[in-house]
Amino acid sequence: MLNSDQAELDLPAPRSEAEPAFSSCGGSAGAAAGVGLCPPARAVEPGEPVKKELQHLSREERRRRRRATAKYRTAHATRERIRVEAFNMAFAELRKLLPTLPPDKKLSKIEILRLAICYISYLNHVLDV
């Protein structure tokens, strides 16, 4: 997980109202013709102070901008996939411990939970007797 300093480093530099849509290195005619393309933006090094343009943004707006990047979305999707796989594996393990007829019957997650509750109640009853 990123700390507050790292979260602000992945942000693209916002364009101010005074800055034109096309930068001075290409212009609209140059960009349309495919000539005079601007060099890539310089990457922000870790530990470098946050740009002054980003300081006026609220914490929520900086977070929103960081979450809008493709890198963040890809990382989030990967984490979510791993979480869901672990969740499904846990249900599969629980399912193996529950007796049902037939034993290979496919159960939904809610059915697995309800069956586990009933089975635990049954085991408690057996121990009490």
Side-chain angles (χ1 to χ4, degrees):
M1 181 167 222
L2 298 176
N3 63 34
S4 61
D5 294 335
Q6 290 172 323
E8 296 159 353
L9 297 177
D10 292 339
L11 298 176
R15 191 175 20 236
S16 67
E17 291 82 28
E19 186 178 339
F22 296 103
S23 66
S24 60
C25 61
S28 59
V35 295
L37 297 176
C38 296
R42 183 179 69 82
V44 178
E45 295 296 323
E48 189 174 326
V50 179
K51 302 235 180 216
K52 289 183 181 177
E53 300 94 39
L54 299 178
Q55 290 177 349
H56 74 280
L57 298 176
S58 70
R59 184 177 188 181
E60 188 63 32
E61 180 62 25
R62 286 193 303 266
R63 183 178 294 136
R64 222 177 274 123
R65 286 189 182 196
R66 179 176 53 88
R67 289 178 177 172
T69 63
K71 179 181 173 183
Y72 180 89
R73 287 191 307 268
T74 303
H76 178 73
T78 302
R79 286 190 307 269
E80 179 65 11
R81 201 173 307 110
I82 291 167
R83 186 193 70 82
V84 169
E85 286 173 5
F87 188 76
N88 289 336
M89 284 177 29
F91 268 101
E93 290 296 316
L94 178 59
R95 171 66 185 90
K96 289 178 190 174
L97 300 173
L98 300 174
T100 58
L101 292 173
D104 58 343
K105 182 181 181 216
K106 176 76 172 142
L107 297 172
S108 69
K109 291 174 183 168
I110 190 70
E111 289 172 331
I112 292 171
L113 292 174
R114 287 181 177 150
L115 187 58
I117 291 169
C118 290
Y119 189 53
I120 291 169
S121 295
Y122 167 75
L123 292 175
N124 278 332
H125 175 72
V126 168
L127 289 175
D128 288 342
V129 171

